[in-house]
Amino acid sequence: MSSTPEATVPDVDRQQTGALDEALDRLQHTGPEWHGRLSNHGPMVVEAMVRNGHSDEVSGWVDWYAAKLDALPHASERIRPEQWREALGDPTRIGDWLEFFEIEMKQQPWEDVLIHWWPRLLPGLAASATHSVIRLGHAVQANRTHPASETATREIGQSLAYWAARWLPVPASAKQTGNLDPSSALESLPHMGERDFGFADCLAELATDVRWPSASATLRSIDDPVTAQQQLFDLVTAATLRYQTHGHGDEIMLVHAATAPNAVARILPSLPHRMWAASVRTAWAASAAITLIYNPEDSRVDTTDSAPGKGSRSAEDTFAQAVEHGDEHVIKFTDAALDVFTRTSNPSALAAAQHAITIIERDS
């Protein structure tokens, strides 16, 4: 007797899909923000935990994290397809955008919705301090890993809705005129100075900073999609490794200098090639803006990779250490660092993750 398709699915895959669906379903009944403007990291974290082999620990983590989240906001006024521009970037309409994309996801394949909305949302990549695109990156990854999951597909709609509601332009140079690689371009960014205001206000100030146009134009301009993708990988690598020596500038926000472009890297394969180069340029602008805003005046030599027993940790052990720590930023940064390690075999990527585990404190 021949096996049915169902019988050929490994038990571990069914377990992972079940764990992810259960966790996402619980979290999709909570709002994309809580306690004012704090982003709900739950969907990002559980996707990373399941994909990295920690399905058994997901439920307990969600128990702890979901207790502090707000309820899912309700819609108040329907957004008509021809009226989307009027509601773009209006956080008071998060509920309306959630309803809008719930309908969109039911009417079309998720790939078509993504391709249609990506050019509209891309200029506002700074939305929610880049948490929207990071959440979307994890959602797209979930749909590649668990393609038959309706819950994972719904997560794409909620991610797009959050991005649309918090849409925030990234100040970028009108033209890339530089010739630097991503690592050198990040190193060339100046120190913005002391700041005691939020990310959106920092961006507004950056847009009028006379240093920003030239600073943001230093990266080599690339139009070929394949070469642009490699440049994006190099940017993620550079931002990840830089965290070792500069993470103290802001141990939370500088995580996103790596995780935001890494989210775009995860999404690129689901987009047509014609969208790749612009996506990479916008990802660079967002990562550069975060780096400049939170750039410390001095670098510090991190000794994590030379500490007894730490430098020899495997990728699996490093991620297990992040899960044991429990902080959402630690887990998602370590997940990005593992992507870098997989591509480059550079142990400094794991050391950067271990440094984040050391300097970031978990909220109670």
Side-chain angles (χ1 to χ4, degrees), residues 42-237:
M44 317 174 209
V45 170
V46 299
E47 187 281 321
M49 289 178 65
V50 169
R51 180 166 36 80
N52 286 285
H54 288 262
S55 300
D56 291 345
E57 294 155 279
V58 165
S59 181
W61 188 90
V62 174
D63 287 342
W64 165 74
Y65 190 73
K68 56 188 176 183
L69 300 177
D70 293 338
L72 190 71
H74 296 292
S76 58
E77 181 182 354
R78 175 162 291 190
I79 297 173
R80 304 294 178 184
E82 68 277 7
Q83 298 173 328
W84 65 270
R85 288 182 180 83
E86 300 171 15
L88 193 65
D90 185 349
T92 68
R93 305 196 67 182
I94 288 180
D96 299 336
W97 278 113
L98 287 166
E99 178 190 62
F100 177 87
F101 277 105
E102 182 179 4
I103 296 172
E104 289 281 293
M105 300 303 292
K106 290 178 179 178
Q107 293 178 340
Q108 304 176 65
W110 69 262
E111 296 92 340
D112 292 349
V113 177
L114 176 66
I115 291 170
H116 182 70
W117 278 91
W118 183 260
R120 296 176 171 183
L121 297 179
L122 181 64
L125 191 71
S128 61
T130 71
H131 286 103
S132 302
V133 74
I134 296 169
R135 180 170 174 174
L136 180 61
H138 283 278
V140 170
Q141 184 75 55
N143 278 272
R144 290 207 194 99
T145 309
H146 310 278
S149 168
E150 293 182 7
T151 307
T153 301
R154 186 166 65 246
E155 175 58 23
I156 287 183
Q158 291 206 355
S159 302
L160 290 168
Y162 186 31
W163 190 351
R166 280 294 183 189
W167 191 87
L168 181 65
V170 182
S173 174
K175 183 179 294 186
Q176 294 296 127
T177 57
N179 196 39
L180 297 181
D181 61 83
S183 179
S184 300
L186 286 179
E187 288 301 324
S188 72
L189 294 172
H191 170 65
M192 186 175 185
E194 296 301 320
R195 68 216 163 265
D196 55 0
F197 38 90
F199 178 70
D201 292 331
C202 286
L203 271 186
E205 182 173 309
L206 188 62
T208 61
D209 193 315
V210 295
R211 299 170 297 175
W212 175 245
S214 58
S216 64
T218 56
L219 186 69
R220 181 181 298 113
S221 180
I222 295 176
D223 292 322
D224 172 67
V226 175
T227 309
Q229 182 186 44
Q230 183 58 54
Q231 185 183 58
L232 183 58
F233 288 154
D234 293 343
L235 172 60
V236 176
T237 298

Side-chain angles (χ1 to χ4, degrees), residues 16 51 63 153 196 242 294 302 364:
Q16 289 179 345
R51 180 166 36 80
D63 287 342
T153 301
D196 55 0
R242 198 172 188 277
Y294 301 100
D302 171 56
S364 57

Side-chain angles (χ1 to χ4, degrees), residues 244 303-315 318 321 341 346-352 354:
Q244 264 193 280
T303 58
T304 302
D305 56 348
S306 61
K310 287 190 175 182
S312 60
R313 284 186 183 271
S314 66
T318 300
Q321 187 183 8
F341 180 72
N346 188 342
S348 293
L350 303 183
Q354 292 157 12

